[in-house]
Amino acid sequence: MAQSQETATSSSIWGPSGARGSARSTGRTGNLISKYISTGAAITIMLTLAAVAAFLIIQAWPVLSDSSARFSAPGYFAGATFLQIVGPLIFGTVLASAIAMVIAVPISIGIALFISHYAPRRLASFLGYLVDLLAAIPSVVFGLWGGQWLIPKLVPIYLWLGDNLGFIPLFEGPASRNGRVLMSASLILAIMVLPIMTAISREVFLQTPRLHEEAALALGCTRWEMIRTAVLPFGRSGVISAGMLGLGRALGETMAVVMVLSTGNTFSWAILQDAKHSTIAANIASQFGEAFGNERSMLIATGLVLFIITLLVNSGARWVISRRSKFSGAN
């Protein structure tokens, strides 16, 4: 009688047909499917990256293999060699992105800290929604807004900077009166990268362990001292990652720069002067439709250079994050 009751109990738990074994089998199958899907997705990313690199190298090889080739494509670089073309483009790309990051990084950190630790809950929720909304605005809209509304407001400031701070190489005059200069492009790039950097930094700051914050406050720290000693160190890696994402967008941005920048081809530091700079992405967008043959290969070669710069920047960011994580773990 006791044995029959045990059998009945076992059947009621596991089912008459070995439900426990079936569940284990189903779990193993799901694990295998998930593993294969994840592995396939990772391989797809690697193959896509390799395919992009192979395409750029193959298409740019006619130019890369002939250092004496000269180009007569329409534009300011007519009759120049590839190195004469790509050097100023790299300079303009890096300079514009660097200025944008100098402006955007501290502002994004400040906004993220305000939303996460200073603003009332309702206001923080509303501001977080606005930040996410700004991140979804297309770049062409930023270009239109910057070209039609922002730049005319900046021209008097540029003229004042050129007249009063012209001894600084960045503000060397005469300042442009139409405002289509690298400084305008950098400001619009900074505004464009602010939302994504702010959103990531905000989420990282919100993940700070509550016990760390309460411990700092219990030791007598003010709110700012608590942020400086607990929140910022915890979120350092996330802030660096957010900065690298913003820098990647700034390096590759096209339409907004094309719409507000009067392009040139020099190594000038004067970001307020007209027709002095261009970026790689903007140059490709403005010239590719009219380029054929070697001229098109030359533009693709500049795209390869931008591809390499982006890889180096992201690799450097990963190295910095890994070193900081290692030191934090050691401490």
Side-chain angles (χ1 to χ4, degrees), residues 37-50:
I37 291 176
S38 301
T39 304
I43 294 174
T44 300
I45 292 175
M46 295 171 60
L47 292 177
T48 302
L49 186 63

mmCIF file with all atom_site columns, all heavy atoms in Angstrom, residues 37-50:
data_model
loop_
_atom_site.group_PDB
_atom_site.id
_atom_site.type_symbol
_atom_site.label_atom_id
_atom_site.label_alt_id
_atom_site.label_comp_id
_atom_site.label_asym_id
_atom_site.label_entity_id
_atom_site.label_seq_id
_atom_site.pdbx_PDB_ins_code
_atom_site.Cartn_x
_atom_site.Cartn_y
_atom_site.Cartn_z
_atom_site.occupancy
_atom_site.B_iso_or_equiv
_atom_site.pdbx_formal_charge
_atom_site.auth_seq_id
_atom_site.auth_comp_id
_atom_site.auth_asym_id
_atom_site.auth_atom_id
_atom_site.pdbx_PDB_model_num
ATOM 1  N N   . ILE A 1 37 ? 22.812 30.284 -32.159 1.00 0.00 ? 37 ILE A N   1
ATOM 2  C CA  . ILE A 1 37 ? 22.355 31.586 -32.642 1.00 0.00 ? 37 ILE A CA  1
ATOM 3  C C   . ILE A 1 37 ? 23.337 32.684 -32.235 1.00 0.00 ? 37 ILE A C   1
ATOM 4  O O   . ILE A 1 37 ? 23.702 33.555 -33.043 1.00 0.00 ? 37 ILE A O   1
ATOM 5  C CB  . ILE A 1 37 ? 20.944 31.896 -32.114 1.00 0.00 ? 37 ILE A CB  1
ATOM 6  C CG1 . ILE A 1 37 ? 19.921 30.956 -32.766 1.00 0.00 ? 37 ILE A CG1 1
ATOM 7  C CG2 . ILE A 1 37 ? 20.569 33.352 -32.397 1.00 0.00 ? 37 ILE A CG2 1
ATOM 8  C CD1 . ILE A 1 37 ? 18.514 31.127 -32.227 1.00 0.00 ? 37 ILE A CD1 1
ATOM 9  N N   . SER A 1 38 ? 23.773 32.654 -30.982 1.00 0.00 ? 38 SER A N   1
ATOM 10 C CA  . SER A 1 38 ? 24.726 33.668 -30.506 1.00 0.00 ? 38 SER A CA  1
ATOM 11 C C   . SER A 1 38 ? 26.053 33.568 -31.251 1.00 0.00 ? 38 SER A C   1
ATOM 12 O O   . SER A 1 38 ? 26.625 34.584 -31.663 1.00 0.00 ? 38 SER A O   1
ATOM 13 C CB  . SER A 1 38 ? 24.957 33.493 -29.002 1.00 0.00 ? 38 SER A CB  1
ATOM 14 O OG  . SER A 1 38 ? 23.750 33.625 -28.292 1.00 0.00 ? 38 SER A OG  1
ATOM 15 N N   . THR A 1 39 ? 26.527 32.338 -31.427 1.00 0.00 ? 39 THR A N   1
ATOM 16 C CA  . THR A 1 39 ? 27.784 32.151 -32.164 1.00 0.00 ? 39 THR A CA  1
ATOM 17 C C   . THR A 1 39 ? 27.645 32.621 -33.606 1.00 0.00 ? 39 THR A C   1
ATOM 18 O O   . THR A 1 39 ? 28.530 33.285 -34.151 1.00 0.00 ? 39 THR A O   1
ATOM 19 C CB  . THR A 1 39 ? 28.203 30.674 -32.133 1.00 0.00 ? 39 THR A CB  1
ATOM 20 O OG1 . THR A 1 39 ? 28.294 30.238 -30.772 1.00 0.00 ? 39 THR A OG1 1
ATOM 21 C CG2 . THR A 1 39 ? 29.544 30.482 -32.824 1.00 0.00 ? 39 THR A CG2 1
ATOM 22 N N   . GLY A 1 40 ? 26.519 32.289 -34.228 1.00 0.00 ? 40 GLY A N   1
ATOM 23 C CA  . GLY A 1 40 ? 26.301 32.739 -35.606 1.00 0.00 ? 40 GLY A CA  1
ATOM 24 C C   . GLY A 1 40 ? 26.234 34.247 -35.727 1.00 0.00 ? 40 GLY A C   1
ATOM 25 O O   . GLY A 1 40 ? 26.762 34.832 -36.674 1.00 0.00 ? 40 GLY A O   1
ATOM 26 N N   . ALA A 1 41 ? 25.596 34.895 -34.732 1.00 0.00 ? 41 ALA A N   1
ATOM 27 C CA  . ALA A 1 41 ? 25.525 36.362 -34.759 1.00 0.00 ? 41 ALA A CA  1
ATOM 28 C C   . ALA A 1 41 ? 26.912 36.972 -34.616 1.00 0.00 ? 41 ALA A C   1
ATOM 29 O O   . ALA A 1 41 ? 27.253 37.940 -35.326 1.00 0.00 ? 41 ALA A O   1
ATOM 30 C CB  . ALA A 1 41 ? 24.616 36.851 -33.638 1.00 0.00 ? 41 ALA A CB  1
ATOM 31 N N   . ALA A 1 42 ? 27.734 36.415 -33.714 1.00 0.00 ? 42 ALA A N   1
ATOM 32 C CA  . ALA A 1 42 ? 29.094 36.933 -33.546 1.00 0.00 ? 42 ALA A CA  1
ATOM 33 C C   . ALA A 1 42 ? 29.917 36.743 -34.810 1.00 0.00 ? 42 ALA A C   1
ATOM 34 O O   . ALA A 1 42 ? 30.647 37.648 -35.236 1.00 0.00 ? 42 ALA A O   1
ATOM 35 C CB  . ALA A 1 42 ? 29.769 36.243 -32.362 1.00 0.00 ? 42 ALA A CB  1
ATOM 36 N N   . ILE A 1 43 ? 29.795 35.570 -35.434 1.00 0.00 ? 43 ILE A N   1
ATOM 37 C CA  . ILE A 1 43 ? 30.531 35.315 -36.679 1.00 0.00 ? 43 ILE A CA  1
ATOM 38 C C   . ILE A 1 43 ? 30.050 36.242 -37.787 1.00 0.00 ? 43 ILE A C   1
ATOM 39 O O   . ILE A 1 43 ? 30.850 36.738 -38.596 1.00 0.00 ? 43 ILE A O   1
ATOM 40 C CB  . ILE A 1 43 ? 30.380 33.839 -37.089 1.00 0.00 ? 43 ILE A CB  1
ATOM 41 C CG1 . ILE A 1 43 ? 31.076 32.934 -36.049 1.00 0.00 ? 43 ILE A CG1 1
ATOM 42 C CG2 . ILE A 1 43 ? 30.959 33.589 -38.478 1.00 0.00 ? 43 ILE A CG2 1
ATOM 43 C CD1 . ILE A 1 43 ? 30.861 31.458 -36.294 1.00 0.00 ? 43 ILE A CD1 1
ATOM 44 N N   . THR A 1 44 ? 28.746 36.504 -37.825 1.00 0.00 ? 44 THR A N   1
ATOM 45 C CA  . THR A 1 44 ? 28.203 37.410 -38.847 1.00 0.00 ? 44 THR A CA  1
ATOM 46 C C   . THR A 1 44 ? 28.788 38.806 -38.709 1.00 0.00 ? 44 THR A C   1
ATOM 47 O O   . THR A 1 44 ? 29.138 39.454 -39.706 1.00 0.00 ? 44 THR A O   1
ATOM 48 C CB  . THR A 1 44 ? 26.670 37.465 -38.726 1.00 0.00 ? 44 THR A CB  1
ATOM 49 O OG1 . THR A 1 44 ? 26.135 36.158 -38.907 1.00 0.00 ? 44 THR A OG1 1
ATOM 50 C CG2 . THR A 1 44 ? 26.084 38.404 -39.775 1.00 0.00 ? 44 THR A CG2 1
ATOM 51 N N   . ILE A 1 45 ? 28.912 39.283 -37.470 1.00 0.00 ? 45 ILE A N   1
ATOM 52 C CA  . ILE A 1 45 ? 29.499 40.604 -37.250 1.00 0.00 ? 45 ILE A CA  1
ATOM 53 C C   . ILE A 1 45 ? 30.948 40.631 -37.740 1.00 0.00 ? 45 ILE A C   1
ATOM 54 O O   . ILE A 1 45 ? 31.387 41.573 -38.418 1.00 0.00 ? 45 ILE A O   1
ATOM 55 C CB  . ILE A 1 45 ? 29.422 40.974 -35.764 1.00 0.00 ? 45 ILE A CB  1
ATOM 56 C CG1 . ILE A 1 45 ? 27.970 41.187 -35.351 1.00 0.00 ? 45 ILE A CG1 1
ATOM 57 C CG2 . ILE A 1 45 ? 30.247 42.219 -35.464 1.00 0.00 ? 45 ILE A CG2 1
ATOM 58 C CD1 . ILE A 1 45 ? 27.782 41.438 -33.876 1.00 0.00 ? 45 ILE A CD1 1
ATOM 59 N N   . MET A 1 46 ? 31.701 39.583 -37.406 1.00 0.00 ? 46 MET A N   1
ATOM 60 C CA  . MET A 1 46 ? 33.102 39.528 -37.819 1.00 0.00 ? 46 MET A CA  1
ATOM 61 C C   . MET A 1 46 ? 33.225 39.465 -39.335 1.00 0.00 ? 46 MET A C   1
ATOM 62 O O   . MET A 1 46 ? 34.064 40.150 -39.933 1.00 0.00 ? 46 MET A O   1
ATOM 63 C CB  . MET A 1 46 ? 33.774 38.323 -37.173 1.00 0.00 ? 46 MET A CB  1
ATOM 64 C CG  . MET A 1 46 ? 33.871 38.406 -35.662 1.00 0.00 ? 46 MET A CG  1
ATOM 65 S SD  . MET A 1 46 ? 34.439 36.875 -34.899 1.00 0.00 ? 46 MET A SD  1
ATOM 66 C CE  . MET A 1 46 ? 36.034 36.695 -35.675 1.00 0.00 ? 46 MET A CE  1
ATOM 67 N N   . LEU A 1 47 ? 32.378 38.668 -39.972 1.00 0.00 ? 47 LEU A N   1
ATOM 68 C CA  . LEU A 1 47 ? 32.423 38.558 -41.433 1.00 0.00 ? 47 LEU A CA  1
ATOM 69 C C   . LEU A 1 47 ? 32.014 39.867 -42.105 1.00 0.00 ? 47 LEU A C   1
ATOM 70 O O   . LEU A 1 47 ? 32.591 40.256 -43.128 1.00 0.00 ? 47 LEU A O   1
ATOM 71 C CB  . LEU A 1 47 ? 31.515 37.414 -41.897 1.00 0.00 ? 47 LEU A CB  1
ATOM 72 C CG  . LEU A 1 47 ? 31.964 35.995 -41.526 1.00 0.00 ? 47 LEU A CG  1
ATOM 73 C CD1 . LEU A 1 47 ? 30.926 34.981 -41.996 1.00 0.00 ? 47 LEU A CD1 1
ATOM 74 C CD2 . LEU A 1 47 ? 33.326 35.684 -42.149 1.00 0.00 ? 47 LEU A CD2 1
ATOM 75 N N   . THR A 1 48 ? 31.020 40.539 -41.528 1.00 0.00 ? 48 THR A N   1
ATOM 76 C CA  . THR A 1 48 ? 30.595 41.822 -42.093 1.00 0.00 ? 48 THR A CA  1
ATOM 77 C C   . THR A 1 48 ? 31.711 42.848 -42.016 1.00 0.00 ? 48 THR A C   1
ATOM 78 O O   . THR A 1 48 ? 31.986 43.576 -42.987 1.00 0.00 ? 48 THR A O   1
ATOM 79 C CB  . THR A 1 48 ? 29.356 42.338 -41.344 1.00 0.00 ? 48 THR A CB  1
ATOM 80 O OG1 . THR A 1 48 ? 28.307 41.375 -41.432 1.00 0.00 ? 48 THR A OG1 1
ATOM 81 C CG2 . THR A 1 48 ? 28.889 43.659 -41.939 1.00 0.00 ? 48 THR A CG2 1
ATOM 82 N N   . LEU A 1 49 ? 32.368 42.907 -40.857 1.00 0.00 ? 49 LEU A N   1
ATOM 83 C CA  . LEU A 1 49 ? 33.490 43.838 -40.706 1.00 0.00 ? 49 LEU A CA  1
ATOM 84 C C   . LEU A 1 49 ? 34.611 43.500 -41.678 1.00 0.00 ? 49 LEU A C   1
ATOM 85 O O   . LEU A 1 49 ? 35.196 44.400 -42.314 1.00 0.00 ? 49 LEU A O   1
ATOM 86 C CB  . LEU A 1 49 ? 34.008 43.789 -39.272 1.00 0.00 ? 49 LEU A CB  1
ATOM 87 C CG  . LEU A 1 49 ? 35.095 44.803 -38.901 1.00 0.00 ? 49 LEU A CG  1
ATOM 88 C CD1 . LEU A 1 49 ? 34.561 46.219 -39.023 1.00 0.00 ? 49 LEU A CD1 1
ATOM 89 C CD2 . LEU A 1 49 ? 35.588 44.545 -37.482 1.00 0.00 ? 49 LEU A CD2 1
ATOM 90 N N   . ALA A 1 50 ? 34.915 42.201 -41.826 1.00 0.00 ? 50 ALA A N   1
ATOM 91 C CA  . ALA A 1 50 ? 35.952 41.794 -42.772 1.00 0.00 ? 50 ALA A CA  1
ATOM 92 C C   . ALA A 1 50 ? 35.560 42.111 -44.206 1.00 0.00 ? 50 ALA A C   1
ATOM 93 O O   . ALA A 1 50 ? 36.404 42.519 -45.021 1.00 0.00 ? 50 ALA A O   1
ATOM 94 C CB  . ALA A 1 50 ? 36.237 40.294 -42.619 1.00 0.00 ? 50 ALA A CB  1
#
